[in-house]
């Protein structure tokens, strides 16, 4: 587990070209995303393997929640259950009280491996359009959605290029833009910044926070990087391993807006990352 | 870099020219009935194919070839999709595919010819049937090779079944499909000639064999020359099509190698 110190790198300040939405959060008594006693077991009988055992946590509307845990803990399995790709073995996950049984229309997912989640035969813009085709949008709205998503991730100039012509960080931004153009209410990201360099990673983390602000999205990020989780999240769900269970939900009380340099050098930042780290390091 | 390219072109284009020149010179005064002078062959080539028998035989052969290949391509891809995506069909056909994979497609030629006969329709059928399997097997392999991540993306973004097939699986399997089509094209070409040689009276293959049996060796060589030229041109056409359809694949492979 890397324990990075606060970076001394300059952080580019990306100006938003997006129409700023008023910063109102949907207030609701039922949580947006409700995971209750979720369990996932593969196989049956003696060969069965329980990957997730009894996970319970909630994500409120407009929140950024990070899920951290040691590698191999079953984080990806959890996301696949939430995205409706795998059925849960018991318990349930629900959006606004409705149990998830297939991919929910209000959800988009950014995958860990941008290399294998973008269509290499489509240009950047066509990658964005593919999930929108069946919505049968008017041409003007289709264009507007793609334009604003691309400009939100700073890739307006690359819309006619192919993903494989771009760097890893840019490809992951294309994957994020594809999710944005889909206009989800809930955005789920599976270790989205795991395979990009440190500078790009900081940029993408800030992009993630900007998306939350500009699009008023509910965001769930799975990561194994504790610093990243504390930096991004309103709350951090700490998972223990084999089988996965919730060790603790840590409320992060760092001031907004977060900033790569000042936030990471706060004493509270150090305290909270230590709190999360000691939960993970503690023998289960 | 540029110079190397030009040099390669000169070597690549110059060698056949040199060989032809050597053939021309060495055969110039030949009285061997089996190896007539190249000059005679070329004169006969011009007399026979440009354009006396062009319509009756050359176009007929080419028409059979393209029709048979087109049917094989479309049906091979379609059957490949059904085999890969419909489990009961997959269970039935899988063992057959493993068996067929081991047989060189050309070895199937005699079966089709003896089963199907020699009329024009029959010839197209035998070309199509023999050329079908390489494309079908490659399509099945291609679909199986599509990454789960890509299919997860398609499901999360709620693509319809039709979109998943046409906009994800088909393009993703296209590199495999094209290598299958390449083999199918060769098989189609071979079956075209073989089906004409066995019992037909029309077509380039029939003409060439007839010439050989009537000891008109210059005509025979002219036929072989024509088949070579056709094969060469057809392959160039195919390769142009491939570069157009698979430009993304070729580009990404080049990029991956450079990295």
């Amino acid at each position: 587990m890397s324990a990075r110190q606060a970076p001394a790198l300059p952080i580019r300040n990306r100006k938003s070209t997006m129409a700023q939405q008023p910063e109102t959060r949907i207030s609701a008594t039922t949580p947006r995303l409700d995971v209750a006693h979720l369990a996932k077991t593969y196989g049956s009988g003696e060969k069965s393997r329980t990957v997730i055992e009894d996970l319970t946590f909630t994500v409120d509307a407009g929140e950024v929640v990070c899920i951290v845990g040691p590698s191999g803990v079953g984080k990806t399995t959890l996301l696949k259950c939430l995205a409706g790709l795998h059925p849960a073995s018991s318990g349930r996950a629900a959006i606004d009280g409705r149990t998830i049984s297939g991919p929910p229309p209000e959800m988009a997912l950014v995958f860990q491996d941008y290399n294998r989640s973008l269509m290499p035969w489509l240009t950047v813009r066509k990658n964005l359009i593919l999930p929108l085709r069946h919505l049968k949008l008017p041409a003007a709205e289709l264009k507007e959605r793609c334009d604003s998503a691309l400009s939100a991730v700073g890739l307006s100039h690359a819309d006619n290029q192919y993903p494989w012509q771009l760097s890893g960080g840019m490809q992951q931004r294309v994957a994020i833009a594809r999710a944005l153009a889909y206009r989800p209410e809930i955005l789920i990201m599976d270790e989205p910044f795991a395979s990009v360099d440190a500078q790009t990673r900081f940029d993408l983390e800030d992009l993630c926070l900007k998306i939350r602000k500009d699009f008023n999205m509910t965001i769930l990020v799975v990561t194994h990087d504790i610093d990243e989780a504390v930096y991004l999240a309103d709350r951090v769900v700490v998972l223990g391993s084999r089988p996965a269970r919730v060790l603790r939900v840590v409320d992060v009380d760092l001031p907004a807006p977060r900033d790569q340099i000042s936030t990471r050098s706060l004493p509270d930042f150090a305290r909270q990352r230590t709190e999360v780290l000691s939960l993970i390091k503690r023998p289960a | 870099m540029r110079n190397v390219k030009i040099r390669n072109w000169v070597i690549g284009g110059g060698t056949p020219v040199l060989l032809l020149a050597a053939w021309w010179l060495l055969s110039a005064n030949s009285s061997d009935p089996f190896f007539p002078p190249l000059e005679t062959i070329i004169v006969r080539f011009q007399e026979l194919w440009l354009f006396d028998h062009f319509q009756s035989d050359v176009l007929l052969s080419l028409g059979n070839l393209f029709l048979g290949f087109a049917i094989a391509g479309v049906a091979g891809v379609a059957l490949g999709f059904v085999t890969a995506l419909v489990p009961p069909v997959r269970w039935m056909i899988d063992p057959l595919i493993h068996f067929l994979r081991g047989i060189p497609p050309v070895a199937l030629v005699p079966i089709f010819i003896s089963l199907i006969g020699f009329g024009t329709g029959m010839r197209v059928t035998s070309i199509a049937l023999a050329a079908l399997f390489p494309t079908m097997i490659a399509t099945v392999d291609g679909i199986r090779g599509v990454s789960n991540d890509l299919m997860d993306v398609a499901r999360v973004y709620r693509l319809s079944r039709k979109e998943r097939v046409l906009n994800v699986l088909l393009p993703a399997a296209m590199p495999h499909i094209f290598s299958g089509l390449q083999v199918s094209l060769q098989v189609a070409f071979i079956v075209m000639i073989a089906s004409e040689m066995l019992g037909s009276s029309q077509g380039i293959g029939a003409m060439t064999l007839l010439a050989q049996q009537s000891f008109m060796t210059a005509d025979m060589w002219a036929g072989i020359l024509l088949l070579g030229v056709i094969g060469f041109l057809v392959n160039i056409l195919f390769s142009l099509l491939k570069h157009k359809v698979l430009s993304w694949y070729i580009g990404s492979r080049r990029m991956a190698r450079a990295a």
Side-chain angles (χ1 to χ4, degrees):
Chain A
M1 204 61 57
S2 76
R4 276 204 320 260
Q5 294 306 306
L9 292 164
I11 303 304
R12 226 182 309 138
N13 199 4
R14 216 181 276 110
K15 279 240 171 64
S16 169
T17 49
M18 191 71 48
Q20 297 278 329
Q21 288 171 353
E23 206 170 327
T24 47
R25 297 278 148 73
I26 307 157
S27 59
T29 41
T30 47
R32 205 69 231 272
L33 187 63
D34 185 8
V35 179
H37 306 294
L38 186 84
K40 180 71 188 173
T41 303
Y42 288 107
S44 58
E46 279 186 16
K47 282 184 184 162
S48 75
R49 197 166 60 91
T50 301
V51 180
I52 297 174
E53 184 180 59
D54 198 19
L55 279 190
T56 300
F57 65 91
T58 59
V59 182
D60 290 331
E63 249 191 331
V64 175
V65 169
C66 284
I67 297 176
V68 290
S71 16
V73 71
K75 294 176 296 223
T76 298
T77 304
L78 168 63
L79 287 197
K80 290 201 166 165
C81 291
L82 294 184
L85 293 172
H86 291 342
S89 304
S90 69
R92 70 161 198 165
I95 292 176
D96 300 331
R98 283 174 291 109
T99 301
I100 297 168
S101 55
E106 56 271 79
M107 186 190 280
L109 188 60
V110 173
F111 290 78
Q112 176 177 2
D113 199 344
Y114 49 80
N115 231 333
R116 279 181 297 174
S117 83
L118 294 170
M119 314 292 162
W121 57 88
L122 295 177
T123 60
V124 167
R125 179 173 291 268
K126 287 182 175 161
N127 262 290
L128 265 58
I129 290 174
L130 182 63
L132 307 177
R133 287 164 52 113
H134 64 272
L135 301 178
K136 308 240 185 304
L137 301 169
E141 194 192 338
L142 195 67
K143 184 175 173 338
E144 196 278 321
R145 277 197 187 195
C146 294
D147 288 346
S148 64
L150 284 172
S151 91
V153 301
L155 281 179
S156 302
H157 60 284
D159 67 338
N160 270 323
Q161 289 191 280
Y162 287 93
W164 41 267
Q165 293 174 311
L166 307 173
S167 67
M170 287 166 94
Q171 288 184 48
Q172 193 57 300
R173 281 192 276 159
V174 174
I176 293 169
R178 176 172 63 186
L180 293 182
Y182 193 64
R183 299 272 158 98
E185 292 160 27
I186 302 170
L187 178 62
I188 294 190
M189 302 207 246
D190 183 6
E191 305 213 4
F193 318 134
S195 32
V196 296
D197 61 79
Q199 173 66 55
T200 309
R201 187 172 192 141
F202 291 146
D203 287 347
L204 291 175
E205 285 168 7
D206 288 333
L207 173 64
C208 171
L209 292 176
K210 188 171 91 77
I211 288 165
R212 187 262 290 267
K213 189 157 78 70
D214 292 353
F215 293 85
N216 195 22
M217 254 178 223
T218 307
I219 300 179
L220 183 66
V221 182
V222 158
T223 176
H224 62 259
D225 184 330
I226 293 158
D227 291 48
E228 179 169 277
V230 173
Y231 178 73
L232 286 176
D234 297 314
R235 288 187 297 144
V236 177
V237 176
V238 185
L239 297 186
S241 63
R242 284 175 227 282
R245 66 216 133 78
V246 177
L247 291 179
R248 191 185 298 169
V249 179
V250 177
D251 286 307
V252 179
D253 43 17
L254 296 170
R258 308 238 168 123
D259 176 87
Q260 291 286 3
I261 296 173
S262 61
T263 303
R264 284 177 191 260
S265 48
L266 291 172
D268 278 346
F269 183 85
R271 181 178 55 75
Q272 298 209 291
R273 69 167 290 278
T274 309
E275 183 183 351
V276 175
L277 180 61
S278 53
L279 281 168
I280 288 179
K281 283 284 179 195
R282 194 181 60 189
Chain B
M1 187 68 202
R2 225 195 120 103
N3 281 336
V4 171
K5 230 175 190 172
I6 292 171
R7 195 191 68 197
N8 288 348
W9 270 100
V10 169
I11 295 175
T15 311
V17 172
L18 272 178
L19 287 173
L20 275 176
W23 185 4
W24 184 280
L25 287 175
L26 291 173
S27 68
N29 297 313
S30 164
S31 52
D32 186 323
F34 291 105
F35 298 102
L38 181 56
E39 195 184 350
T40 321
I41 294 171
I42 287 172
V43 168
R44 286 302 292 155
F45 183 90
Q46 191 260 321
E47 285 169 358
L48 274 176
W49 307 120
L50 309 173
F51 293 88
D52 196 5
H53 288 270
F54 190 75
Q55 209 168 351
S56 62
D57 295 276
V58 179
L59 283 187
L60 181 87
S61 295
L62 287 179
N64 288 349
L65 173 69
F66 283 112
L67 196 56
F69 176 63
I71 294 170
V74 173
V77 171
L79 282 173
F81 265 84
V82 172
T83 307
L85 299 180
V86 183
V89 179
R90 188 173 66 222
W91 301 327
M92 274 183 335
I93 295 189
D94 235 14
L96 187 67
I97 284 182
H98 284 299
F99 181 68
L100 287 176
R101 213 196 293 272
I103 304 175
V106 185
L108 301 174
V109 172
I111 306 175
F112 291 118
I113 287 169
S114 53
L115 281 181
I116 291 167
F118 310 109
T120 302
M122 292 301 158
R123 267 183 273 159
V124 173
T125 315
S126 66
I127 292 170
L129 267 178
L132 179 96
F133 292 102
T135 298
M136 179 181 150
I137 292 172
T139 305
V140 172
D141 287 345
I143 293 170
R144 288 196 186 150
V146 176
S147 86
N148 287 331
D149 288 11
L150 230 45
M151 294 322 291
D152 279 351
V153 170
R155 287 179 61 201
V156 164
Y157 287 107
R158 301 163 63 86
L159 268 58
S160 66
R161 193 178 170 79
K162 188 179 145 202
E163 282 177 319
R164 271 185 274 167
V165 169
L166 292 182
N167 299 100
V168 181
L169 285 173
L170 183 63
M174 207 46 104
H176 267 95
I177 292 176
F178 258 86
S179 19
L181 285 172
Q182 179 105 55
V183 179
S184 286
L185 182 61
Q186 287 159 8
V187 173
F189 195 61
I190 291 165
V191 176
M192 173 200 90
I193 298 164
S195 71
E196 288 171 352
M197 284 184 167
L198 295 167
S200 145
S201 55
Q202 268 184 316
I204 309 166
M207 293 273 296
T208 306
L209 195 72
L210 192 70
Q212 185 257 325
Q213 286 163 349
S214 345
F215 300 100
M216 293 152 79
T217 19
D219 289 18
M220 177 194 82
W221 282 105
I224 293 169
L225 205 61
L226 178 69
L227 289 172
V229 170
I230 289 174
F232 181 69
L233 292 178
V234 163
N235 269 316
I236 285 181
L237 277 179
F238 183 81
S239 158
L240 285 176
L241 179 72
K242 181 171 155 181
H243 272 80
K244 189 156 174 53
V245 176
L246 291 183
S247 60
W248 63 270
Y249 181 72
I250 295 161
S252 66
R253 289 293 296 272
R254 195 178 297 143
M255 197 67 90
R257 272 200 304 273

